Structure formats: structure tokens, C-alpha cells
Amino acid sequence: MKAIVISAYGGPEVLRITDLPDPVPDQGEVLIRIKAFGLNHAEAYMRAGAWGEVAAVPGIECAGVVEADPSGQLASGTRVVAILGGMGRTRNGSYAERVTVPATNVVPVNSSLGWAELAAVPEVYATAWNGLFGNLALRPGERVLVRGATSSLGQAAVSLAVDHGVRVLATTRNSAHAQLLKELGAEGVLIDDGQLATQVSTANYVVDAVFDVVGNNVLRDSLATVRPRGRVCQLGFLGGFDPVRDFDPLTDLPTGVQLSFFGSAFVLGSPEFPLADVPLDAIYAKAESGALPPGPARIFRFDEIVEAHRVMEAGEALGKMTVMVD
């Protein structure tokens, strides 16, 4: 099979197309012929070596058809999506024509969406769902601030929150992107200058929760942005991996404010965080109907993977990107 491999840790140019033997599924695994896969920042981190030694073939999600399921649970030809389960990290991932995935991380889909559209949903929407309604336990009428809202994960979070009756403040560093976020349903857009707590206070917003994709370099400010007994969930590191220097819960964590983390790349599909908790069928149905934004922002060919990673790291896509395999 054709596969994209990390030839050495580094920039996008280290991704190379090569031939590898077709994988064979063990018991408890499913062999998928991949039709399309989504692009995620986690894959750029792995490619660069930021997360240590990882599998040769990156990719943490895909859409395709079942070629073999030793358990007999999924018939050959069943349309499925697959998320994580060690893909791209501890086992070869989805940047290939075929992949084996733990059965717990494979979900049959009943949708008329095309392959590129199917592949744009699983990782960002499953992560956004867990962050919004798992960690943050948001309820209709509450207000969430989505920090890093123009990222693919941020846009999914804005869309899901609005669809569930949650009021959304969205942030961007570029005022030219404000209209995009308003079109997704955000009630307001803040330009992130690193001092959102001051902006929120000045505008008299009451923020119940922060969905933070930016990460460590704004953590103190995110904690100061929510109301007393508010919640903050960190889900990304768009601002970099440097730790929060000299963080002291006594002075930096406001009394009563709850801080949590959701690391989807490490837990989605595990017994503690089963994919069955995420209503993917309903999400796909709403994407078909237009209630949630359908389709990726950009679609690349398999042989355009280097350019796709360059665009992703430069933040030029303004949304989810996918790659067609066949």
C-alpha cells in the first residue's frame, strides 16, 4: 500500500510517500481501506518530534470502508470513521491507503456526506463535545468563551455550543476573521491580545466557562476571565508547549474556579472516554441538514501532504482540512 511516513523529525518536508506492506488486523481490530483523512495539529507535533518517538505513519483519524473485521461485527464494505486508538502515536496511522484500528475506536456511519466531509468531523467534533459537555458541563443559556476559535477545533466548539443553546464569545487574533465567527453564531468576538480578562470585565460579560485551545501561555488570563465558580478546560497548545512558569495555585487559581484538561489524542475511545458518549450520528445528520457547518475548508490530494502541513502550521486554512486518498 501507499503510505506517508515521517522520514525524520522536522518540518513538513520530512513527510515522504512510500510503499509499505498491507496491515493485517488482529482480534479486536478492524482493517479499513481509507478514503480520506483529516489533518490535525497533533500530527504536526508528532512529525516535529515534540511528543517524543512516535509511529512512522502519522494520522489520528480517517473515513473509509471496512475491509476485514475478525470479530464479524462489521461487514466488509461498511462505511466507518476511526479516531485515535493509538493511530499515529503507538501504531501506524491514517496517512495511508489502509490502517488497522482497535474496534473500540471505529464507528459505523449512516450519512450521505462525501468522504472528505465525513473525514472532517470525527476528531474535532468528538473533542469539542467532550470539552463542552463533559469537562465544562455546559447548559443552555450559559456563556462560554472559546479561545482560539478560528482553529478547526475552535470552530467545531462554537458550532456545537450554539446548536445546544449556549451563548458564545469567540476569540481571534485577527479582526479580519471576526465575521467568520459571527456567521457561526457567536454573540460577540474579542480580539485576543493576551488580556481577555480585562476585555470581559470592561464589557460586563459574565463568562461561565472557557474552552481554551491556545493553552499554557494564556492560562492565567483564562482563569481570571471566568466568573466565581466558573470552569476552564484546556484542550490545545496553539500558543506553544512551554510550561506555565512559576504557576502557584494559591495565587493563580481563583477560589472556586475549576480547571481541567482534555487530551483527546490520549484518551478518546478508551473505556473511560468511549466514543459511544459522542453523538456522531446526530452530528453528521446536522451537518447534512446545514445546522452544523458542512465540509472542510480545504481538500488536498494524497501527494500534496507537505503543502497541507505547511498550510496547517501557517494557520492559512481557517478551518478543518482533509486529504483524499482515493
Side-chain angles (χ1 to χ4, degrees), residues 45 214-217 236-242:
Y45 303 149
V214 178
N216 292 351
N217 66 331
F237 301 92
L238 294 180
F241 282 106
D242 288 344

Side-chain angles (χ1 to χ4, degrees), residues 81-285:
V81 293
I83 318 172
L84 300 163
M87 280 196 294
R89 190 166 55 88
T90 59
R91 60 193 299 144
N92 281 341
S94 58
Y95 286 20
E97 292 179 322
R98 291 176 177 83
V99 67
T100 55
V101 188
T104 53
N105 293 74
V106 180
V107 180
V109 292
N110 181 24
S111 171
S112 63
L113 292 173
W115 292 114
E117 290 72 28
L118 287 174
V121 168
E123 163 63 8
V124 290
Y125 275 93
T127 301
W129 180 274
N130 275 280
L132 292 169
F133 307 117
N135 287 42
L136 293 175
L138 282 162
R139 299 178 295 275
E142 289 192 303
R143 178 181 284 124
V144 64
L145 185 147
V146 178
R147 193 163 201 166
T150 54
S151 66
S152 57
L153 175 55
Q155 289 187 43
V158 172
S159 300
L160 277 178
V162 169
D163 183 66
H164 282 75
V166 176
R167 294 178 294 171
V168 177
L169 291 176
T171 80
T172 176
R173 292 178 297 170
N174 187 338
S175 60
H177 301 159
Q179 186 58 35
L180 165 67
L181 299 174
K182 290 178 181 177
E183 290 171 358
L184 291 177
E187 65 171 353
V189 177
L190 303 178
I191 306 305
D192 196 341
D193 58 0
Q195 303 295 322
L196 290 181
T198 299
Q199 293 188 49
V200 165
S201 176
T202 300
N204 292 318
Y205 283 121
V206 175
V207 174
D208 299 292
V210 173
F211 183 104
D212 191 342
V213 187
V214 178
N216 292 351
N217 66 331
V218 296
L219 178 60
R220 286 186 174 92
D221 186 54
S222 290
L223 291 169
T225 298
V226 294
R227 62 167 172 80
R229 301 195 184 280
R231 295 96 72 195
V232 175
C233 179
Q234 184 171 317
L235 302 98
F237 301 92
L238 294 180
F241 282 106
D242 288 344
V244 184
R245 191 167 185 175
D246 298 326
F247 184 83
D248 183 354
L250 188 65
T251 56
D252 294 323
L253 186 60
T255 298
V257 170
Q258 302 171 31
L259 171 63
S260 66
F261 173 69
F262 189 77
S264 62
F266 306 102
V267 301
L268 264 180
S270 68
E272 295 78 16
F273 298 93
L275 288 180
D277 286 352
V278 181
L280 281 175
D281 277 342
I283 290 170
Y284 277 123

Side-chain angles (χ1 to χ4, degrees), residues 288-303:
E288 284 188 63
S289 71
L292 292 175
R298 288 189 64 175
I299 303 171
F300 292 87
R301 300 189 312 269
F302 195 70
D303 61 2

